[in-house]
Structures are given as structure tokens and as C-alpha cells.
Amino acid sequence: MAFEYPVALEVRGRPAVVIGTDAVVHGKADALLEAGAFVTVVAGEPASALDRLEERSGTTVRRRPYRPGDLAGAFVCVASSKDAGERAAIHREAEARGVLVNVMDDPEHCHFAAPA
């Protein structure tokens, strides 16, 4: 997918969801928090990063794998998964709920590109 229309999103005060270990490790929750989003993190690890995120205002941490329904009420989602079926499920839920989604390293399941 060619992302031909460059855009910057205003996420301040909006709900965002970050799913998966790699998304946490690559600082996606931190970047959204810095931009003013209210962030829900859905990941089982890394424990130290999840502990740190739990201490930040505006963050909810769910220490578990993705479940359908996790995108309810979200404006934007950044996700990672090694499982192709899970990546597709996240994308399907985002499409159904009108949530902008970036599934890391899977352009077919992205509405937008985000800097690494």
C-alpha cells in the first residue's frame, strides 16, 4: 500500500489503543501519551515497560493478549503481532469500528504509516 497523502493526527484528548509487545517496545504508547492521547495498552510483556506505563497518567494497561472488542471507543490504534490471523482480526475490528489502525510491519493492514 502506498501512503500517498501525508497527514499529522491530533490525538490530544482522544482514546488510543496500543496492542502487542513489539508496539510497546518500540515506544508507540509513549509517543501517543506525549501527544496527549489517553492510551490503553493491551500486551503481556515486557513487564518493566508495562509497570512504567501503568504509572503514567492517562494510561490503562491490560496485561493480556488482544481480544475482539479492545478497540471499542478508540480513535486510533497501533498494533503488533507475529500472528497473521491476529493482525487481520485487529484490522477487521478497526474497519468495523471506524478506528484508524497501523499494524506494524504489515502495510496491507494499515490505514496510515507512522515513523519508527
Side-chain angles (χ1 to χ4, degrees):
M1 179 173 296
F3 300 104
E4 298 180 34
Y5 187 73
V7 62
L9 295 175
E10 177 57 74
V11 297
R12 181 167 307 284
R14 293 182 182 253
V17 179
V18 173
I19 300 170
T21 298
D22 285 346
V24 172
V25 168
H26 286 95
K28 302 306 182 178
D30 294 303
L32 285 162
L33 285 163
E34 292 301 320
F38 297 110
V39 179
T40 297
V41 178
V42 180
E45 54 186 352
S48 60
L50 296 176
D51 291 344
R52 181 183 49 74
L53 286 165
E54 276 183 322
E55 294 176 7
R56 292 192 66 177
S57 177
T59 309
T60 301
V61 175
R62 297 182 178 144
R63 294 175 189 246
R64 59 168 174 76
Y66 162 78
R67 293 181 194 155
D70 281 340
L71 300 185
F75 170 69
V76 65
C77 172
V78 179
S80 66
S81 177
K82 296 186 185 334
D83 180 88
E86 184 174 68
R87 293 192 307 268
I90 292 166
H91 183 260
R92 275 193 308 275
E93 181 175 354
E95 288 271 304
R97 294 184 183 274
V99 176
L100 295 172
V101 67
N102 175 286
V103 180
M104 294 171 56
D105 300 322
D106 189 350
E108 180 182 333
H109 293 115
C110 292
H111 295 130
F112 65 94

